[in-house]
Amino acid sequence: MFSELGSGIYCIDADYVRRGLACFYLLYHRGEIAIIETGTSHSLPHLQQLMASKSMLPEQVRYVIPTHVHLDHAGGAGAMMAAFPEAELVVHPQGARHLIDPAKLIASTIAVYGEEIYRSLYGDIQPVAAERVIRAEDGRVLNLGGRALEIRDTPGHANHHFCVWDSHSRGWFSGDVFGISYPELRFGSGNFVLPTTTPTQFNPQALIKSVNLLLSYEPATVYLTHFSNIDEIEGAATLLCRQIEQYRLIALRLKEREDRVEAIRQALSEYTLQQLAGFIDTQAPAFYAGLLDMDMRLNAQGLEVWLARGGS
């Protein structure tokens, strides 16, 4: 359920929907621990198993840092804060209130999925005491045992999104800004990375700007939430930005369709399989269409919301 990546960084499967879909990270440095992303409340036992295997203690956890408050990234924040009494929660200023009082997050999720699926996916979302929350503005630097973790505001996927720069590993913890690259999308010819435009705040121009901000640090690696780390960063960024722009054009082309969400989903799926053609065996398209079906549906919904807000 976890892998050691070097530089004191461990990748832990969040056990969300399926293995290899979402992860979170433990950073250990000079006796102090930061947790970046949280998965859901179901993810906490996996973290505790890792810590026990490495003789790490709960009181060593100094920071819990979700990149944004979407529940696959922050749903376990309350459970982790309860388990780690010395920790502070570091969150974007626009997202802090939703983790201090998660009632709206819970209600909106139940409205979409229903009570049973909500419980199955996310378990119990606990509130976090306001006095334990750091509202991290752009440029804030956290000190983890002398190791600098820099917070940079990175809108585009969500307005309340930041990324975390670890100068020690020269790596970004990118949340959803640098896209998705599941284990099944890692090939000998390179890593296939695709955007995530999940509702409700997708902004293509802002997202491309955020990707370029990450590139400006000349990172050696990027730690994705979906899933684990990738290198060959410049090629991945070029591929990602090309797709973001094409997503925008697809949505605009189909904006007058009565069935535009389904039309966009189908167009995104066809376009993605075309992009994948340079990476995969020609016999495999059906497998990848199934693998990415949920992402295409969510991305189409995000583009629909963007169009409804007057996207251009």
Side-chain angles (χ1 to χ4, degrees):
M1 293 295 290
F2 68 86
S3 56
E4 189 169 356
L5 303 179
S7 300
I9 298 171
Y10 298 83
C11 174
I12 309 161
D13 195 299
D15 198 19
Y16 178 71
V17 181
R18 64 172 177 84
R19 294 280 182 92
L21 188 141
C23 66
F24 60 107
Y25 296 91
L26 180 149
L27 280 71
Y28 181 85
H29 193 76
R30 296 178 182 171
E32 295 188 345
I33 295 168
I35 309 299
I36 300 184
E37 309 290 43
T38 71
T40 73
S41 61
H42 301 314
S43 308
L44 177 59
H46 303 305
L47 172 60
Q48 292 170 320
Q49 290 167 15
L50 165 61
M51 291 176 63
S53 74
K54 302 296 181 181
S55 300
M56 299 175 185
L57 302 175
E59 54 266 30
Q60 291 178 281
V61 179
R62 184 166 181 187
Y63 301 115
V64 175
I65 314 172
T67 60
H68 59 302
V69 304
H70 293 170
L71 292 183
D72 52 333
H73 298 257
M80 288 188 183
M81 293 298 288
F84 306 130
E86 302 301 318
E88 294 179 288
L89 181 70
V90 182
V91 64
H92 193 285
Q94 294 184 39
R97 61 189 176 93
H98 294 293
L99 298 182
I100 294 169
D101 180 4
K104 287 185 178 179
L105 278 178
I106 294 169
S108 62
T109 306
I110 291 175
V112 172
Y113 294 110
E115 179 85 24
E116 183 176 352
I117 293 178
Y118 160 77
R119 294 293 174 193
S120 166
L121 288 176
Y122 304 110
D124 182 29
I125 298 176
Q126 302 178 34
V128 178
E131 60 270 20
R132 297 182 66 191
V133 174
I134 296 174
R135 295 164 175 82
E137 301 283 352
D138 183 43
R140 177 77 177 258
V141 177
L142 307 172
N143 182 343
L144 184 73
R147 180 172 179 165
L149 301 176
E150 183 182 2
I151 305 297
R152 292 305 312 266
D153 189 33
T154 49
H157 174 78
N159 294 337
H160 62 278
H161 194 298
F162 60 52
C163 293
V164 183
W165 171 247
D166 172 35
S167 57
H168 185 80
S169 67
R170 295 206 57 78
W172 280 107
F173 294 87
S174 63
D176 280 338
V177 161
F178 212 80
I180 289 169
S181 185
Y182 300 128
E184 298 90 344
L185 300 176
R186 309 295 175 83
F187 305 100
S189 56
N191 302 314
F192 185 78
V193 180
L194 69 149
T196 171
T197 63
T198 312
T200 57
Q201 295 173 338
F202 171 62
N203 181 320
Q205 292 88 354
L207 185 53
I208 289 173
K209 184 176 180 180
S210 291
V211 171
N212 287 330
L213 172 65
L214 269 56
L215 274 182
S216 73
Y217 280 62
E218 300 182 353
T221 191
V222 174
Y223 300 99
L224 306 176
T225 306
H226 308 283
F227 181 93
S228 196
N229 65 314
I230 61 170
D231 50 20
E232 301 176 1
I233 304 306
E234 288 193 14
T238 298
L239 174 63
L240 183 63
C241 290
R242 183 171 70 234
Q243 290 175 91
I244 293 168
E245 173 61 11
Q246 191 62 34
Y247 274 31
R248 184 184 75 86
L249 296 175
I250 286 171
L252 291 173
R253 174 167 57 85
L254 298 172
K255 68 181 295 186
E256 302 302 328
R257 287 277 295 267
E258 291 186 9
D259 63 338
R260 73 180 182 188
V261 176
E262 175 56 23
I264 291 170
R265 183 206 64 78
Q266 184 174 345
L268 292 181
S269 189
E270 292 172 355
Y271 170 71
T272 301
L273 290 177
Q274 290 170 3
Q275 297 301 298
L276 268 166
F279 292 82
I280 64 176
D281 188 287
T282 56
Q283 303 302 312
F287 169 78
Y288 288 98
L291 176 73
L292 298 175
D293 180 66
M294 180 178 71
D295 294 293
M296 296 299 101
R297 293 181 185 279
L298 290 171
N299 284 351
Q301 291 169 20
L303 288 165
E304 157 67 16
V305 173
W306 174 72
L307 286 172
R309 293 201 316 265
S312 61

